[in-house]
Amino acid sequence: MPAAPLVVQKFGGSSLADADRIRRVARRIARERAAGSDLVVVVSAMGDTTDELLGLAAAITETPDERELDMLLATGEHQSATLLSMALHALGVGAISLSGPQAGITTDGRYGRARIASIDPARVRTEVEAGKVVIVAGFQGRAGSGDAHAADITTLGRGGSDTTAVALAARLDADRCQIFTDVRGIYTADPRLVADARQLSVIGYEEMLELAHQGAQVMQTRAVELGWVNGVVIEVLSSFEDAPGTLIKEDPLVEQRNKVRGLAHDRNVAKVTIVAVPDRPGIARSLFDPLAEAGVNVDMIVQNVGHGGETDMSFTVPQAELGKAKKTLESVVRELGAREMTTDASVAKVSIVGAGLHNAPGYAARMFGTLADAGVNIEMISTSEVRITCMIAEDALETALRALHDAFELERPESAAVEAGSGVAAGAAATATRESASR
Ligand code: ADP
Ligand code: ASP
Ligand code: MG
């Protein structure tokens, strides 16, 4: 008898928000099981549980201990895993819940942002072979024996259940890896903000990785990375309706179509400006070395042209790291003799993403022109091979997304954009010859 196909399914928080939804997910799993698949199911915490637990910790202390925080956060996923297992039992389906450590997931010891080091699949395999649906608590593991925090519970960073699922699919050599969420798949922009956003049937790893990096929270960045490295085809689909999802996989069609695949946005950024710093060698190092040491992720950096021996330096950090950045830089700013440090958390980043962007020079011009026509001021710009990002005021974000979605014709079906040979591509080429200094 051929072995049953092994399917890894992950259900996000909104899919498990209350008892009814948990029962609904259990029915879906039971159907898949009845159709003959072996199943390993990864769960997130119910609804907003993780945020609520973080809120509780914050109500106790401004500086919660990182170890205790991970112990606390891991309980969210224990809750949903056990309840889903019980819901399956109630349907007469054999199931067992396992914590991340019980599922053999070993990580490094970095609380709150641990990385998976290895997975020992023995226990999961044994339970699957015993005919059970194995429910694994996502987002967590156990620090390895060589680590200073050995045997402690760790969490993988926000959205980390996606990474648990893809890592397990890779380690178990699963036949399918399905990420069930509250939208039908990956869209050309966040469908909650852009009504015309179109669902993609396929997206390449590189483009998905960039969308995720730039704020599309639908997949955790590291899950996409892991999928890419291990060649796991990831299917993103709705847990509420039976509709075809989106495949994240190697995508060879890139040359032929609209070079912009999608838009991403990120509200979780803040801008820091150091006003009137002396304009001399070594200043950037004096600012950014201490930030790196403090573990603050600096993203876009702009240094203005100096005047009278002084210059302004601006950069962005994740909003959650703004406090740490300010604390780190206060003394540095004084030592350097800068006039002051100002911060602004009411900014957002908007990005156009596409694997073909680096050899299509007109796209930057089109992006800037579109934002200008929409009355949106650009405060900073950064580019990579596969994206162009502008920082703008947060309250202009939705206007910017809609204008860019229209300008790059992202609502058009892929086949139409390819057949026209065109729309965007031809227009952009014309723009490029007119405005050579576009990027
Ligand atoms: P889950 O709880 O299932 O992990 P998340 O909230 O982490 O779900 O991710 C799903 C959300 O991602 C969607 O509700 C949607 O608002 C958002 N999202 C942002 N960008 C995109 C995109 N390009 N395609 C689909 N969803 C997106
Ligand atoms: N519950 C965790 C979070 O909210 C992990 C996840 O949902 O993937 O970030
Ligand atoms: Mg998520």
Side-chain angles (χ1 to χ4, degrees), residues 75-144:
T75 64
E77 271 71 9
H78 291 174
Q79 210 180 44
S80 49
T82 51
L83 293 171
L84 181 56
S85 182
M86 292 176 202
L88 283 164
H89 295 165
L91 295 174
V93 177
I96 183 170
S97 67
L98 298 178
S99 68
Q102 286 174 323
I105 298 174
T106 301
T107 68
D108 62 23
R110 289 185 292 176
Y111 301 123
R113 56 199 158 96
R115 289 189 164 252
I116 296 177
S118 63
I119 300 182
D120 174 358
R123 175 78 189 269
V124 173
R125 285 212 176 110
T126 307
E127 300 294 354
V128 167
E129 278 158 20
K132 289 186 187 150
V133 173
V134 180
I135 318 281
V136 178
F139 172 61
Q140 54 180 267
R142 176 180 188 269

Side-chain angles (χ1 to χ4, degrees), residues 170-411:
R171 185 68 179 91
L172 297 167
D173 202 14
D175 296 282
R176 300 177 82 174
C177 177
Q178 301 182 310
I179 306 289
F180 287 92
T181 185
D182 58 359
V183 289
R184 283 186 175 184
I186 310 298
Y187 286 70
T188 49
D190 188 337
R192 294 189 196 291
L193 296 190
V194 180
D196 288 341
R198 179 172 52 81
Q199 190 191 341
L200 300 167
S201 52
V202 177
I203 183 165
Y205 292 113
E206 186 182 24
E207 290 173 317
M208 188 63 232
L209 188 57
E210 200 63 33
L211 283 174
H213 259 303
Q214 297 310 317
Q217 100 233 39
V218 58
M219 282 295 294
Q220 201 199 32
T221 321
R222 280 160 46 204
V224 185
E225 252 163 27
L226 264 181
W228 194 358
V229 170
N230 293 287
V232 177
V233 175
I234 304 167
E235 201 177 337
V236 180
L237 61 176
S238 166
S239 60
F240 301 118
E241 25 179 355
D242 280 317
T246 299
L247 294 180
I248 305 173
K249 59 178 206 163
E250 216 60 78
D251 182 12
L253 280 169
V254 161
E255 281 268 297
Q256 295 168 26
R257 55 162 185 247
N258 191 344
K259 290 185 168 36
V260 179
R261 266 316 244 163
L263 309 179
H265 71 273
D266 191 353
R267 296 176 193 274
N268 177 30
V269 285
K271 180 170 80 160
V272 179
T273 302
I274 314 295
V275 183
V277 251
D279 194 6
R280 57 178 155 76
I283 290 292
R285 184 176 58 196
S286 322
L287 291 170
F288 297 122
D289 272 3
L291 288 172
E293 259 167 50
V296 175
N297 288 297
V298 174
D299 183 16
M300 303 164 103
I301 303 177
V302 174
Q303 181 179 345
N304 293 333
V305 178
H307 287 292
E310 290 179 336
T311 183
D312 292 351
M313 181 95 85
S314 293
F315 55 89
T316 62
V317 297
Q319 233 169 59
E321 293 172 18
L322 180 59
K324 198 155 55 162
K326 270 162 70 176
K327 219 162 121 194
T328 308
L329 288 181
E330 263 158 18
S331 56
V332 181
V333 165
R334 264 197 314 277
E335 280 158 28
L336 291 177
R339 188 180 311 149
E340 60 172 338
M341 166 166 54
T342 62
T343 59
D344 183 358
S346 58
V347 291
K349 290 191 306 187
V350 56
S351 304
I352 61 173
V353 171
L357 278 176
H358 62 290
N359 46 28
Y363 283 71
R366 179 170 288 222
M367 181 175 192
F368 305 153
T370 302
L371 292 177
D373 291 345
V376 176
N377 187 40
I378 303 172
E379 297 188 32
M380 285 189 202
I381 298 166
S382 81
T383 65
S384 81
E385 296 240 302
V386 290
R387 73 169 163 87
I388 306 168
T389 301
C390 295
M391 200 189 71
I392 60 176
E394 189 174 357
D395 59 14
L397 182 62
E398 292 192 24
T399 307
L401 282 169
R402 287 193 201 112
L404 291 169
H405 204 270
D406 278 354
F408 289 103
E409 301 180 1
L410 294 176
E411 77 293 350

Side-chain angles (χ1 to χ4, degrees), residues 10-13 43-51 73 76-77 138-139 157-163 220:
K10 177 254 170 178
F11 291 89
V43 290
S44 294
M46 294 171 67
D48 297 327
T49 301
T50 307
D51 288 325
L73 293 185
E77 271 71 9
F139 172 61
R158 298 307 304 268
S161 301
D162 296 335
T163 300
Q220 201 199 32

